[in-house]
Amino acid sequence: MTIELLIAPAATGKTATCIDQIRAAQKENPLAQVWVLVPNQQTAAQFRARLAESGGGMGVRIGFFHHFYQEILEENGRFVPVISQALSHRLIQETVREVSTSGDLTHYDAIKDKLGFFSVLKDSFAELRSALVSPEAFLDYTRGSTPARHELAILYERFLAHLGTLGWIDSEGQVWLAIEALENNSATASHVSLVVVDGFTAFTAAQRRFLKLLGQQADEMIITLTGEPESARMVHRRAQKVLQELDADLSPKIMTVNHPALLGTPNLHMEKYVLNPEAVEECELQEPIMLEARSQSEEAREALRWIKQLHVRQSIPLNRCAIYTADLNTYQPLLRAAADEFGLNLRFSQRDPLSESPAILSVLNLLTLPLENYPTRTLLNALHSPYFQFGLENQDVENLEKVCRQAIIVTGKDQWDAAWKMLARKRQDYAEALDEERYRPDLTANVDLLALKQRLERFWDLFARIESPRSQARWVEWLETLLSNMSFYDLISTERDRAACSSLGEALRALVVSEKVVGEREVDYGQFITDLQSALNSVNLEEPTEARKNAVFIGKLVEARGSRYQAVALLGFSEGLFPIVENPDPFLDEDLRKDLGLEPRLQREQASTFYQAFTRANTHLLITRPYLSEDGEAWEPSPYWQAAKALFTGQAIIKIQSFEGRPQAEAASPQELLFWGVQQRQLIYAEYDELQQRWQNLANAHRILDARRAKHAEGVYEGDLFEQASSLAQRYSAGHSWSASRLEAYGNCPFLFFVNSALNLEISKPLEPGLDPAQVGSLYHRILELVYSESMINHTDPLEILDSVAARVFESAPEMFGFRPSALWEVEKSQRLEKLRKSLQALEAERGAWQPIAFEKKFGIQGTPHLELKLSGGKIRLHGVIDRVDRNPNGEIRVIDYKTGSSHLGRPDLQKGLRLQLPIYGMAAQDALQLGEVVDGFYWKINDACASSLQLSNFESEHGKGIEKAYQVTKDYISKYVARIQEGSFMPEPHNTVCPSYCPASQWCWRYRAGYKNE
Ligand code: SF4
């Protein structure tokens, strides 16, 4: 029947006083019932431990408010189930839908489907419940007010009505029932001898009301509060406010304790003087307690390094250490990454949403595939996922990827259906390396397409019947069947994934139960997935038990209360991080909060939060801040940092600027030690076996990097494969058949040749509908070949038959060249025809007496004779396809090669050995195909409608002029290139000042030079 309020500064023995009270109550009556209310798990565990140390806690129940609400209700014979987070979320969603359907939602109608809106409503309803605001009072208050407020009141009222219909209660609503029970039965808690309320920094109106009624029924109640009764310091302002509220509602007897605070020197000094307007003494420190790091990521590492040092050197258990920060969302992943590297367990107060679990993300990605029309990349990712078994082997999925690339499947099942047909009928011999203009490898040459297609059918069947709408329960049933057919649950192997599956079950149950509450309603597949995503967002992922063992606690600054640790690090003391920037709540504005008794959102007492946080440390304290922002600008310190800094002299602050002079003994992981060792050019702990091998590897890496950073490329790390010379000489021996484009690739950059031709690496580009450059080249070549061959046979003007020939080729082009026409194909056809017309007109205008006599003349392919060159290093065999051969009335020959691009077709390109195709074709026409004496040749630039400046007849170099000189230069280059290839000389040296974009190494080559223009 007595309520005492024990108010005193931090660490002065309030909890010890409570434990003494418990011991005294139990001494008087060994069966005394004692209830201890604490704010969080950590405080509960610590209270339990201290009680045990003091002699035992038989008959003492330690729990949170909601445990005792439940106790009160059970005492009164009421068993009201508490709604789960997922079901609460679903119920809010259904409430919004219902209110919208009834036409009562206008202001919020535009955001009625947003997941964020449901979360905001959930928080707002919880706040209203905690402030004991009844739906009727809220409706009354908002009548005649803004639509925003009134609609919120309607939603609140309907949500609570739904809960009532369900016969369940939300966690914040439990207190209402407990209060009602205490009011209706004054003997409910009369068996309780002592109630201890320890570790809280504030109480909601509902909690104060509950405590008042409980205090009236129990024999004794003691509430502790950290602060000073008459203090004017900023750090105690919140305690003053709470004191007034408790005084007004509970009229407690105010007491205090006069013990000195049991804190380490630095935080004891801060406890006395920080933000104290009165004169302060400075305290000299020999050890830093404040640390400035360059970034938030380094700050997280430094804090964990500090904790690991205390753990290793001073044997402080990890579960006696904590880190608090105002911005946990930012620091959580940074701390997790550093802790993984340092081998530390962390336990976060804030759990990750279920929807971020890899297993659940995979399920969501799979389920959204039909809604997005099966985008190829996402589809292939799903097929590769280790969480599903689709009846496809790894090789099958790789073959499916090849099918996509070959048939350019961008999205949709219809494209897959068309692709199978197209690939079955494809007529072009892809395997033929015609020239670089037209080369498309046949990726599916050795794939059993029919069998693969049949195996993929099983995947399509999964989504075969999603068209018809059905109830949520039926959709959930469908999903469960789908997951079990894909062995999803059988493939789960980690504790984290198992926890995710159990939370998934909770979310699915919420969907089914919510339907029972609001009535069955059929929804389509898209709506089901939206509802499922929403339910998954509302459920958090359980932390695996293993991760919780002997772990450092990580929480938000506002959660720093009640519990105490031996070591505490406070992160993020820079401007804008802490104190946090306060913004008004757009849903529950400040006036409404004031009128209805809700906590304000502005002018929260953040100095009190700071005080609570740094006084959580018994002996070791570290306050950190980043001093550079992401863009490298200086980041100003927080005013609280400045206030703490002003209290100390000596070595209080350390600024981490680089690791170069850092003692290696401070490294927190082998990686870090090695990294510092490399920076400092010496590893102090090199005698450890584990480090020796890694240090050796790093020394090798260092040599490689040095070689790659050298001005000139040379040596074994720079493409010099002389050790492989014998196998290369064998591979590229006299029997090898060369194409002009391969030799030109070597001329452009030896490493390009090595990557592309020796290693067979290719660039994998994102799939896009329409033609790729090789297909455009093939299309143009085919039309020009048919136009000239038919005009020759029928003695017609090539220009006259261009349209009809082009129409025929266009018609069969998608199938013949294996591409998917884009939506612009019709427009594209007329543009390409126009280009061809102009080109043909120009080609005809320059033809003079030349008559085309042969087209697509192969040499060295399909049984045709090779061009064989007898060079200084031995015999070289070449193959290729000559686009066109003309003859003049004298029986002389010229060769023409069509090009869609127009760059690098000049005389200097042959002089430098970058373009060898034309002279090779000239020699082939004359010597291999015996078509006659070749006197000229040129490239025809189709898009530019003109011949190249490189012409065989007018070639000249420093050694002379004419076609024979062109041949000689070409042979010299071929001889040189082949010899170097056989020697294994592949140094990355682009002959042009820039690297071609088609170079497969351009993504990672350390000698890459940007600036290439595709033409
Ligand atoms: S990126 Fe440039 S230097 Fe590197 S291999 Fe390709 S062309 Fe050669």
Side-chain angles (χ1 to χ4, degrees):
M1 300 282 183
T2 55
I3 303 179
E4 291 174 352
L5 176 65
L6 184 59
I7 178 165
T12 48
K14 296 184 292 301
T15 304
T17 307
C18 294
I19 289 175
D20 288 348
Q21 295 266 70
I22 294 172
R23 304 295 308 151
Q26 287 184 323
K27 197 169 175 190
E28 204 173 291
N29 173 12
L31 297 178
Q33 291 273 316
V34 179
W35 287 4
V36 180
L37 279 77
V38 289
N40 51 45
Q41 288 281 7
Q42 293 71 39
T43 315
Q46 291 181 11
F47 201 102
R48 213 168 273 126
R50 289 180 69 176
L51 198 59
E53 274 170 28
S54 75
M58 286 281 286
V60 180
R61 290 209 46 218
I62 300 172
F64 308 148
F65 266 103
H66 68 85
H67 292 130
F68 296 102
Y69 301 153
Q70 191 78 20
E71 178 93 14
I72 296 283
L73 294 175
E74 285 172 11
E75 283 285 336
N76 279 272
R78 291 193 69 176
F79 298 93
V80 186
V82 180
I83 193 168
S84 67
Q85 291 290 320
L87 183 52
S88 167
H89 194 88
R90 279 289 302 140
L91 213 53
I92 290 174
Q93 200 180 357
E94 287 301 336
T95 305
V96 171
R97 193 175 287 161
E98 187 190 285
V99 174
S100 169
T101 310
S102 63
D104 287 334
L105 212 60
T106 51
H107 182 81
Y108 291 119
D109 203 51
I111 56 169
K112 68 177 189 295
D113 295 321
K114 304 281 180 216
L115 295 183
F117 182 48
F118 306 136
S119 300
V120 167
L121 287 179
K122 190 159 154 284
D123 294 343
S124 301
F125 294 171
E127 274 204 77
L128 289 161
R129 295 283 262 170
S130 300
L132 289 176
V133 177
S134 70
E136 300 77 24
F138 194 20
L139 275 171
D140 274 352
Y141 175 79
T142 59
R143 243 182 274 284
S145 182
T146 61
R149 283 178 169 185
H150 191 57
E151 287 177 18
L152 205 57
I154 293 173
L155 289 166
Y156 182 53
E157 188 270 330
R158 298 275 172 88
F159 170 69
L160 293 187
H162 272 317
L163 266 183
T165 315
L166 187 61
W168 287 17
I169 191 76
D170 55 335
S171 56
E172 292 76 20
Q174 253 186 327
V175 64
W176 291 36
L177 298 183
I179 288 170
E180 195 182 298
L182 287 168
E183 282 172 341
N184 292 340
N185 181 357
S186 59
T188 304
S190 57
H191 61 289
V192 181
S193 303
L194 173 63
V195 177
V196 172
V197 184
D198 188 35
F200 290 88
T201 51
F203 300 95
T204 64
Q207 288 171 335
R208 291 197 300 274
R209 177 95 188 121
F210 173 76
L211 289 177
K212 179 178 179 174
L213 293 165
L214 187 61
Q216 285 168 352
Q217 296 189 11
D219 292 344
E220 197 180 349
M221 174 180 279
I222 178 165
I223 303 170
T224 65
L225 188 63
T226 300
E228 286 180 30
E230 305 295 330
S231 173
R233 282 175 66 188
M234 273 169 76
V235 293
H236 293 313
R237 256 195 227 151
R238 185 167 54 208
Q240 297 298 329
K241 188 167 160 264
V242 176
L243 178 62
Q244 284 166 14
E245 288 168 349
L246 290 174
D247 199 27
D249 291 354
L250 282 78
S251 310
K253 184 176 157 198
I254 313 287
M255 299 173 58
T256 189
V257 282
N258 290 318
H259 302 303
L262 291 171
L263 295 171
T265 307
N267 42 347
L268 181 62
H269 192 68
M270 282 175 66
E271 195 284 321
K272 275 192 193 152
Y273 297 112
V274 82
L275 298 168
N276 191 339
E278 292 163 19
V280 297
E281 283 175 36
E282 285 186 341
C283 172
E284 183 164 335
L285 295 180
Q286 303 309 320
E287 292 272 318
I289 63 152
M290 300 172 81
L291 182 146
E292 295 180 282
R294 277 178 298 204
S295 62
Q296 289 174 286
S297 152
E298 282 190 10
E299 201 191 345
R301 290 178 72 85
E302 291 303 329
L304 286 174
R305 182 196 322 290
W306 176 74
I307 286 178
K308 189 167 179 181
Q309 277 177 3
L310 291 172
H311 176 58
V312 173
R313 294 181 185 163
Q314 300 187 32
S315 305
I316 296 180
L318 292 177
N319 59 8
R320 300 294 298 129
C321 305
I323 293 178
Y324 291 106
T325 173
D327 183 9
L328 192 50
N329 287 343
T330 303
Y331 284 97
Q332 187 153 330
L334 303 176
L335 287 164
R336 190 172 272 147
D340 284 348
E341 183 190 321
F342 294 179
L344 296 173
N345 273 354
L346 302 184
R347 180 177 191 181
F348 292 94
S349 67
Q350 170 180 293
R351 287 180 289 152
D352 292 331
L354 177 60
S355 52
E356 286 178 15
S357 137
I360 303 304
L361 260 180
S362 301
V363 171
L364 280 176
N365 285 343
L366 176 73
L367 294 178
T368 44
L369 276 173
L371 299 173
E372 292 166 356
N373 197 20
Y374 304 99
T376 298
R377 193 61 261 165
T378 326
L379 169 64
L380 291 171
N381 287 347
L383 297 180
H384 274 297
S385 169
Y387 290 107
F388 312 121
Q389 178 51 260
F390 296 101
L392 294 164
E393 301 295 327
N394 287 344
Q395 188 57 51
D396 288 336
V397 182
E398 278 177 25
N399 286 341
L400 286 168
E401 193 144 2
K402 288 180 186 169
V403 169
C404 294
R405 286 178 56 208
Q406 188 74 61
I408 311 184
I409 302 172
V410 182
T411 186
K413 183 172 184 301
D414 51 340
Q415 291 192 4
W416 279 92
D417 293 341
W420 298 118
K421 286 185 200 147
M422 186 177 81
L423 291 177
R425 290 198 304 255
K426 74 171 186 277
R427 298 203 301 271
Q428 194 189 39
D429 187 354
Y430 287 88
E432 255 179 38
L434 302 174
D435 56 39
E436 88 277 23
E437 288 259 307
R438 291 178 279 171
Y439 178 65
R440 279 196 95 225
D442 187 358
L443 302 172
T444 56
N446 300 315
V447 177
D448 182 345
L449 293 170
L450 190 61
L452 189 62
K453 174 176 181 281
Q454 281 166 356
R455 285 199 285 278
L456 187 64
E457 281 307 316
R458 191 170 163 219
F459 171 81
W460 300 121
D461 285 349
L462 295 174
F463 299 101
R465 280 169 290 283
I466 58 168
E467 297 306 326
S468 49
R470 56 193 90 165
S471 66
Q472 295 281 14
R474 295 276 314 284
W475 277 122
V476 169
E477 197 183 315
W478 170 85
L479 177 58
E480 290 284 12
T481 313
L482 177 95
L483 294 177
S484 102
N485 284 348
M486 292 186 305
S487 310
F488 173 71
Y489 296 110
D490 301 334
L491 292 169
I492 291 296
S493 58
T494 66
E495 204 189 335
R496 186 169 278 270
D497 284 345
R498 264 191 288 280
C501 285
S502 128
S503 303
L504 171 67
E506 190 192 322
L508 295 180
R509 263 191 307 282
L511 286 174
V512 176
V513 175
S514 68
E515 193 170 53
K516 291 211 169 100
V517 179
V518 294
E520 193 173 296
R521 184 171 59 90
E522 293 207 327
V523 294
D524 63 18
Y525 182 71
Q527 187 59 52
F528 166 64
I529 298 301
T530 307
D531 293 346
L532 177 66
Q533 280 171 324
S534 167
L536 292 174
N537 269 335
S538 67
V539 179
N540 287 326
L541 198 53
E542 280 296 334
E543 275 192 340
T545 326
E546 245 348 273
R548 295 202 296 261
K549 282 186 193 155
N550 199 22
V552 180
F553 176 75
I554 316 285
K556 292 183 189 168
L557 275 174
V558 289
E559 295 165 337
R561 58 191 167 163
S563 41
R564 309 197 52 75
Y565 297 89
Q566 269 179 270
V568 171
L570 307 178
L571 273 56
F573 277 68
S574 283
E575 195 70 66
L577 292 174
F578 187 69
I580 55 168
V581 180
E582 294 180 329
N583 294 308
D585 180 348
F587 289 83
L588 298 170
D589 57 75
E590 287 301 286
D591 289 343
L592 180 149
R593 285 173 172 275
K594 197 164 166 220
D595 294 345
L596 297 181
L598 273 67
E599 280 288 307
R601 270 296 165 90
L602 302 179
Q603 295 177 349
R604 281 179 272 177
E605 301 297 345
Q606 298 196 55
S608 301
T609 304
F610 177 44
Y611 174 86
Q612 280 289 338
F614 72 74
T615 53
R616 294 309 91 206
N618 285 340
T619 47
H620 301 276
L621 175 69
L622 181 72
I623 304 174
T624 70
R625 78 174 200 93
Y627 64 84
L628 289 180
S629 63
E630 265 182 23
D631 51 12
E633 294 292 318
W635 199 339
E636 292 301 316
S638 141
Y640 299 141
W641 172 277
Q642 301 287 42
K645 185 180 163 186
L647 300 178
F648 300 106
T649 57
Q651 315 285 322
I653 302 181
I654 183 169
K655 188 169 188 173
I656 307 292
Q657 281 172 313
S658 83
F659 299 110
E660 283 182 15
R662 202 133 187 207
Q664 291 183 14
E666 286 183 13
S669 69
Q671 294 93 303
E672 194 169 61
L673 175 63
L674 290 163
F675 185 64
W676 292 0
V678 169
Q679 284 190 322
Q680 297 168 13
R681 297 179 184 277
Q682 181 195 12
L683 183 68
I684 291 178
Y685 301 96
E687 72 273 15
Y688 291 101
D689 287 349
E690 185 210 351
L691 293 175
Q692 244 176 27
Q693 185 55 48
R694 293 173 73 177
W695 183 246
Q696 198 53 47
N697 293 344
L698 281 170
N700 289 341
H702 198 262
R703 272 198 295 281
I704 295 170
L705 270 179
D706 273 354
R708 289 179 180 175
R709 281 200 304 237
K711 194 162 181 195
H712 296 293
E714 59 185 2
V716 290
Y717 303 123
E718 279 292 86
D720 188 349
L721 265 73
F722 70 90
E723 288 175 3
Q724 312 296 325
S726 62
S727 67
L728 286 163
Q730 205 175 355
R731 178 169 173 182
Y732 298 108
S733 64
H736 184 79
S737 178
W738 294 91
S739 71
S741 59
R742 295 285 193 237
L743 292 163
E744 287 173 352
Y746 188 89
N748 272 289
C749 173
F751 200 63
L752 187 163
F753 170 87
F754 175 68
V755 170
N756 193 207
S757 302
L759 298 184
N760 282 329
L761 296 184
E762 287 166 19
I763 277 196
S764 175
K765 290 189 184 154
L767 296 169
E768 286 171 6
L771 292 95
D772 64 21
Q775 287 161 330
V776 173
S778 297
L779 186 72
Y780 281 160
H781 278 74
R782 182 70 181 151
I783 293 172
L784 289 172
E785 178 199 348
L786 289 181
V787 163
Y788 275 108
S789 56
E790 287 179 20
S791 79
M792 192 174 80
I793 294 166
N794 303 325
H795 305 288
T796 47
D797 181 348
L799 279 160
E800 272 176 22
I801 60 169
L802 173 66
D803 285 6
S804 63
V805 170
R808 261 172 29 227
V809 176
F810 286 146
E811 176 72 27
S812 60
E815 192 179 296
M816 173 172 261
F817 304 116
F819 67 91
R820 182 167 317 290
S822 71
L824 295 173
W825 175 228
E826 289 305 316
V827 182
E828 206 180 336
K829 281 195 291 191
S830 63
Q831 287 173 344
R832 296 209 180 278
L833 180 58
E834 233 9 75
K835 273 212 156 80
L836 274 172
R837 194 186 317 284
K838 283 199 182 119
S839 212
L840 202 57
Q841 281 164 350
L843 198 50
E844 282 302 285
E846 79 77 54
R847 177 144 69 101
W850 290 98
Q851 281 300 328
I853 58 159
F855 314 95
E856 300 287 311
K857 285 299 286 181
K858 296 182 173 79
F859 61 96
I861 296 172
Q862 293 171 351
T864 55
H866 280 87
L867 167 65
E868 293 191 349
L869 300 177
K870 291 193 181 59
L871 305 176
S872 54
K875 198 167 68 175
I876 302 287
R877 298 183 339 136
L878 293 125
H879 67 263
V881 182
I882 307 169
D883 291 341
R884 187 174 126 185
V885 181
D886 289 359
R887 184 186 288 134
N888 67 16
N890 300 330
E892 293 165 330
I893 297 292
R894 72 174 186 180
V895 291
I896 300 176
D897 193 73
Y898 302 130
K899 294 282 181 222
T900 45
S902 60
S903 58
H904 309 299
L905 299 173
R907 193 183 294 158
D909 295 295
L910 174 53
Q911 288 164 346
K912 288 190 230 161
L914 307 179
R915 278 284 178 200
L916 306 178
Q917 185 188 19
L918 204 55
I920 289 174
Y921 285 12
M923 289 188 275
Q926 184 172 298
D927 302 333
L929 302 176
Q930 304 279 318
L931 294 173
E933 186 195 352
V934 175
V935 295
D936 201 2
F938 56 84
Y939 296 108
W940 182 257
K941 298 193 265 187
I942 299 173
N943 284 324
D944 289 4
C946 65
S948 60
S949 63
L950 170 60
Q951 306 223 344
L952 292 180
S953 57
N954 64 12
F955 177 75
E956 58 180 73
S957 73
E958 58 194 27
H959 304 299
K961 287 185 180 177
I963 193 164
E964 287 305 324
K965 280 295 159 207
Y967 290 162
Q968 193 51 54
V969 165
T970 304
K971 287 177 190 170
D972 290 346
Y973 275 118
I974 294 175
S975 183
K976 183 165 113 186
Y977 292 167
V978 173
R980 288 198 177 164
I981 290 167
Q982 289 171 341
E983 285 163 20
S985 176
F986 301 113
M987 273 66 96
E989 281 175 302
H991 273 261
N992 287 307
T993 47
V994 293
C995 294
S997 58
Y998 57 79
C999 173
S1002 56
Q1003 297 294 314
W1004 44 266
C1005 177
W1006 46 97
R1007 302 268 173 191
Y1008 174 70
R1009 293 182 208 154
Y1012 188 83
K1013 280 194 200 141
N1014 264 328
E1015 290 177 73

